[in-house]
Every structure is written in structure tokens, then in C-alpha cells.
Amino acid sequence: MTLPHVHIIGTGLLGTSLGLALRRAEYPVTLSDQSPTAVRLAADMGAGTAAEPSTADIVVVATPPDVAARTIVAALDTWPEATVTDVASVKTAVLAEARTLTGDPVLARYIGCHPMAGREKSGAIAARDDLFLARPWVVCSDEDTPADRLAAVVALAEATGAAVVHLDPEFHDSAVARVSHAPQVLASLMAGRLKDMPADGVALAGQGLRDVTRIAASDPGLWTQILAGNAAEVRAVLADVRADLDALIGALDLEPGALATIAGLFAAGNEGHDRIPGKHGQAPARYSSVTVFIDDTPGALARLFTDVGELGVNVEDIRIDHATGIKLGSVDISVIPSAQVTLTEGLAARGWWVPEAAIDTEGRE
Amino acid sequence: MTLPHVHIIGTGLLGTSLGLALRRAEYPVTLSDQSPTAVRLAADMGAGTAAEPSTADIVVVATPPDVAARTIVAALDTWPEATVTDVASVKTAVLAEARTLTGDPVLARYIGCHPMAGREKSGAIAARDDLFLARPWVVCSDEDTPADRLAAVVALAEATGAAVVHLDPEFHDSAVARVSHAPQVLASLMAGRLKDMPADGVALAGQGLRDVTRIAASDPGLWTQILAGNAAEVRAVLADVRADLDALIGALDLEPGALATIAGLFAAGNEGHDRIPGKHGQAPARYSSVTVFIDDTPGALARLFTDVGELGVNVEDIRIDHATGIKLGSVDISVIPSAQVTLTEGLAARGWWVPEAAIDTEGRE
């Protein structure tokens, strides 16, 4: 079977990473970008050949989201036999705008996609051929989508190592508003509250604050475009958050009944938290955690994980915390509950400082 | 020098952990609790002797925060020579309530503290003798605090391995509202929005959502008490968050000027994020990250960290992500920027699959 010729329009982070991944899978790839420098860099990196081909089997639009729709329609016109797809992080608005520019028969050749991969860095220079590896790649098709075109797009996605998920555009946009866009907003608003704090106060920050605000380091320009492209759905989620926030602020007057309101909101948070899938993408993970204190020096982690490996235990996650001002660190190792006793006793027997481990049957960290 | 006799009232997580830490440091420790079972368990664990002593040098009140003030005042009365301290996570409200119950001359023997340590688990059974190790231990004293009593409390805190920080109660309460209480609220409200989502949608969750909502697994009862004890400060921060949220929701109408509002809120989040100290408690960390793909099997991490150790590189942090459905994982290793090239090239030379690493000069993950 001959692999289809893929033309990628837009050689930023996603377009260049896609080119690298497809070249690795031996697809023929051509590249274009409105910036001659950007396309030359991507080609130099090995993402494909800089060219505007007269024919192509699949055209991937990897422009910024605000010009995706018009680029898709132009591509459908330029390559009248090609299947056209895109990588924009919002799907309904792109399709609606494309519909104002061309007809449904033409759009039957368009299959909207959203590979859920990215970095806080941007541009071809940040591209990686394994950016999509093991990430969800959302494919939006409907009953009018020709089966052979759909199969070709799915094969392209799978060639990058991504896991294909079929969703309709409205469902996709509503879901990403909740699992991606609203969390970004809340992380940024929380971090914004630290801007004018005295340094002595910020110094009390612990791991909780670090986790909640980690993604607040993301690019404001990109996120402004993403929110603008999914404004209605994001607004709906944030309105629900605001209603809960109002209820909580009101309850802080501590009038009768207030404590039940506060506790109810925290309990709802417990329930929602428990619905998030584990890292393996299956049911929410219930791991046990073993804490080990180590010298904060080169080699200590190697000795620790050599011992962990010799005990035959598979590590699900690791969290390192360094002491303030002293050469000591703690390592929390998450394992499946049945491995917890083996690990605790085995490491202690090998001379590691392992505090009494509490079996975490609730899966609460 | 003879170590002072410490009496601990309340043998939950904090009181029992403190007893274990002080016994390890060879302090004489007695314990009491309104539950005979709880105090016997703590004594059996080695946290001290169950007794109501006739004299004590330092009395530590480690009850739930809502009964801390009355317990402090009772302790000042029962042990008229003793220094009395506590571990409640709010300080102004405790002091104000104590003032309604006794006079300033008596309260000169009280020194409020807040060791910033805890777990999502509670009770003596979850106690650990190193719970306070390398954590901030806030001490609230004023000009009327006798120097010898202050020194004794500081020595006690340092005996647990904690890092003592001197703050006034109002400053403490305002700071923890921002770095601890408000992040908990936002994490819980975000997680609450996932409660009624279709499973197909929650399945799109990535690391960002996991980080933002991790602490939403915390105990609703405890957090309700903490918020109630610091209601005014928490309310003030949340009111600021609500004002920003209102501005953002308003901007999602996408009228002229809206995009600048949205971008401004994200930029403020960048600024606030950059103020959070690194894990070593110094200036915000600027680490470079090296990603390595590994077989998701026992032994792989040991081989990896053996090689990392042999390259002489100190690991600042680790993030593991497992692929969905396939036996492959990625490990992000954070190191100081000057070690990044050594690590990338060294691991690649040893046969590891290390994608091109982008030097992360912004410290953005």
C-alpha cells in the first residue's frame, strides 16, 4: 500500500511536529507557511519538503485557530480531490465559519480534528516527532463523511502514535471547556492573586499552590484565541463556577446553615475529582504511596530506583520534594496497593529511611 | 541542658506526629485527648506517655481549630507556669477568642504557631515523626512575649526539623488565605464541575486538569473548619477572584476590547506564577526539562536513574506520564539549565530515546 501524500499548511509547533512524526512513519510530506523562514526551518528540521504541490491526498491545516476556517475552505478549493483536516482546539466555530464560506458537498471532504497535545512553548523550534504519542486525537465526522476519507485521516493520526477518539463537534467543545479551558482560567486567576503579595507571604507556598497554578505559566496570546474560539461553552462553565463561588462567598458570613453549604461544595469537589481517569486512561487510579527520605545528591535516586527495580515493583508516579536549606529530599513513590508492603519493607530492609507508610485506600494523596 | 517537659493536648494527626518527632529528639512528652482510645493509640505508637501531668514546661494545644482558643485558655489556667502554644491553621480568630476569655498578662505565656504540614489523611494512625521535616513552622510572637519562652517554642519547632518563620497573626492569616485556602477552594469548585460530565468527556482530561484539581480530594469537614476560622481573609481573596472572573465572563461576549481583557488576566497569571518560590525555598526555579521515553516495565527507571547518576546530574523534579493502552511511558526530568546538555547527550549516547530537548529558559513547564 502506498502511503498518501500529506500537505501541511502552517509550520508552527503542531504542524512541524506532525511533519516530523509522519516523516518518521515514511509518509511523503510537503509543507507551506505564510512565513518563508518558518517553512524553511521546518524543512531543515526534517518535517517534509517545502513546496506548494499541485496535488495532495490529505491537506492538514495547522494555522492559528482564528484563520483555520478560511484556510480550510481555500484548501478544499485548491485541491479538489484532497481530504482536508485541521488541528484547531475548537471545532464548532471552525465548522460554522467554513459553512458561511462554502457548501456542504464541498465540506464533506473536510474532517475536523483536535490532537490534544501541546507545549507551553511555540514555533517549529519547539517541535517534537513524538508530541502526539499516546495523546487523544479527536476526530469529528458525521454520516456524510466518506468512509475511505475517514479511514485515511484515522490512519494518519495513528501513524503519529496518538489514540483516536471519535466525537461530535459540540460534544468536543463542551468537554474541552470543562477539562481544559476552565482549569486554565482558574489556574491563571489564582496565580494572578499572588502578583502583589509580599514575598514573605508567597514564601509560605506549598505543593498544593504549585500544582493548582502550574499551567498559569502558559502563553496569554494563544489562550486568548482559544477562549475566543469557544466563548459560549467556556462562558457556560465559568457561569456555573461563579454561581458556586457566590454561594461560598455568601456562606463565609457564617450565618446558620453556612457550614453545610461550604462542606457541600468541598464534597462535590471530592466527587468530581474521583471521576478523573488514571494516567493509564482507565478507571480512576487508586495508588498507594511510599515516602522515602534521601540525601539530595547525585546518585541517590539511582540507588533508590535500582532497589525499587530489584524489588520488582512498577512505579506509577513519583513526587520529589526538596527540603528548604538542607541537603535532604523526600520521594513519594506511587504503586498499586498490592505492591505497597513489598516496597516499604524491601526498601527499609535495604537501609532506606522509609517512614511508616499509611495505606491510602481512598486514593487520596 | 535538660529538655523541657512537653504536654500535648489532642492526639490527632498533628499532635501525634509532634509527639513522635519530639520523642525522637528525646524530649519528655505526655499526651492527653478527650478520647481515651485516641490517646492510648498515640501512646502505643510511641508519641509519649498518656498522662495529665501536674506540671509542664510547654503545653501544645493540637485540638481541632474550633476548640483551640478555649483549650489554650484552660491550659494557661491549669499550668500557671507553662508556656502554651498551638498548631491551629488560623491565628487571628484564635487569639481574639482567647482574649474574650482571659487577660493579656495571662496571654503573654501563649505563643501561637502554625506548622504548615499536613496530609489528606487524619487521626493518630496517619501520624509520622517526620511530618514537619523541612516545612515552614510559623511562630507568632509580639514585643510582650518573654524571650526565654519564645526561645523554648522555637527550639521545639526546630527539634521536629521544621524551618521557623516569624510572622504576625494578621499577616499569617492573610497570606494563608492566598497561598492555601483560596487555591483549595478553586481546586474544589473546578473539580465539582466534573461531577455530572459524561465519562467520554472526562476521558479527555490531561495533566493540566489533574494538577489543578489534585487537592480537591481533601477532607470537606476539616476544610469547612479552616475556612470558617479565616472567613474574612478568605472572603476578601475570593471577592477579588470573583471580580476577575466577572471581567472574564463579560469579555467572552467578544465585544471590542474584550480580547485585551482576556489576555491581561492571563498575563497577570504569568506574573503571579513567576513569584512562587522554587522547591528549595529560594528564588523561583528556572529548570530545564529533558524528556525520555521508556518501556513501562519494572527496572526501566532504575536503569535510567543509574545512568543519570553516573552522568553526575542532580535531579530537581520528575514527572512520569504513562501512555494510554500501550506499554510506554515518558519521564520528564528537571535539572538546572547548565546540566541539560550533559543529560540530553549523555542519555542519548547510552541508548535512551531522548527527543530533541528544548532549553526552557523561561522556566515554563
Side-chain angles (χ1 to χ4, degrees), chain A residues 22-303:
Chain A
L22 293 177
R23 287 298 303 133
R24 187 181 186 119
E26 303 191 342
Y27 274 72
V29 178
T30 52
L31 307 167
S32 64
D33 192 286
Q34 61 177 20
S35 155
T37 312
V39 75
R40 197 181 317 147
L41 174 59
D44 283 354
M45 290 173 68
T49 308
E52 190 85 15
S54 56
T55 63
D57 299 308
I58 303 177
V59 177
V60 182
V61 173
T63 63
D66 58 349
V67 294
R70 77 184 76 155
T71 311
I72 289 162
V73 172
L76 289 164
D77 188 51
T78 305
W79 293 284
E81 304 297 324
T83 302
V84 175
T85 182
D86 71 327
V87 299
S89 58
V90 293
K91 300 272 56 99
T92 316
V94 168
L95 189 59
E97 190 186 338
R99 283 222 170 94
T100 66
L101 300 169
T102 191
D104 277 348
V106 171
L107 280 172
R109 287 191 286 119
Y110 164 65
I111 299 173
C113 285
H114 177 205
M116 301 198 64
R119 310 182 70 181
E120 272 81 359
K121 310 181 187 74
S122 57
I125 195 69
R128 295 164 32 165
D129 68 359
D130 38 28
L131 188 71
F132 307 104
L133 194 63
R135 302 282 176 182
W137 186 302
V138 177
V139 176
C140 299
S141 60
D142 59 30
E143 63 274 18
D144 296 330
T145 309
D148 56 339
R149 295 186 185 274
L150 178 58
V153 167
V154 167
L156 176 151
E158 290 177 344
T160 69
V164 169
V165 183
H166 294 274
L167 295 177
D168 76 57
E170 292 76 19
F171 185 93
H172 167 273
D173 286 2
S174 162
V176 294
R178 280 160 186 77
V179 304
S180 171
H181 305 171
Q184 177 64 53
V185 166
L186 293 183
S188 293
L189 294 189
M190 183 63 241
R193 289 294 110 220
L194 309 176
K195 196 161 71 91
D196 301 317
M197 261 187 89
D200 282 3
V202 191
L204 298 179
Q207 193 57 43
L209 180 70
R210 288 198 189 94
D211 285 344
V212 171
T213 60
R214 184 181 62 86
I215 55 174
S218 299
D219 178 37
L222 176 64
W223 274 98
T224 301
Q225 268 195 45
I226 292 173
L227 257 54
N230 201 20
E233 290 290 350
V234 174
R235 194 172 180 156
V237 192
L238 293 183
D240 288 343
V241 171
R242 179 170 59 182
D244 285 348
L245 186 58
D246 281 341
L248 187 60
I249 291 173
L252 287 171
D253 62 10
L254 306 181
E255 296 291 319
L259 298 190
T261 301
I262 300 174
L265 290 167
F266 283 126
N270 284 177
E271 275 188 72
H273 174 270
D274 285 352
R275 298 202 60 219
I276 301 174
K279 290 192 169 186
H280 290 278
Q282 288 117 17
R286 302 292 189 185
Y287 297 131
S288 299
S289 153
V290 175
T291 301
V292 186
F293 282 91
I294 62 168
D295 284 340
D296 195 4
T297 52
L301 281 170
R303 291 191 300 278

Side-chain angles (χ1 to χ4, degrees), chain B residues 98-163:
Chain B
R99 283 220 170 92
T100 67
L101 299 170
T102 191
D104 277 347
V106 171
L107 280 172
R109 287 191 286 118
Y110 164 65
I111 299 172
C113 286
H114 177 205
M116 301 198 64
R119 311 183 70 183
E120 270 81 0
K121 311 182 188 73
S122 57
I125 195 69
R128 296 163 31 162
D129 68 0
D130 38 28
L131 188 71
F132 307 104
L133 195 63
R135 302 284 175 181
W137 185 301
V138 177
V139 176
C140 299
S141 59
D142 59 31
E143 63 274 18
D144 296 330
T145 309
D148 56 339
R149 295 185 186 274
L150 178 58
V153 167
V154 167
L156 176 150
E158 290 177 345
T160 68

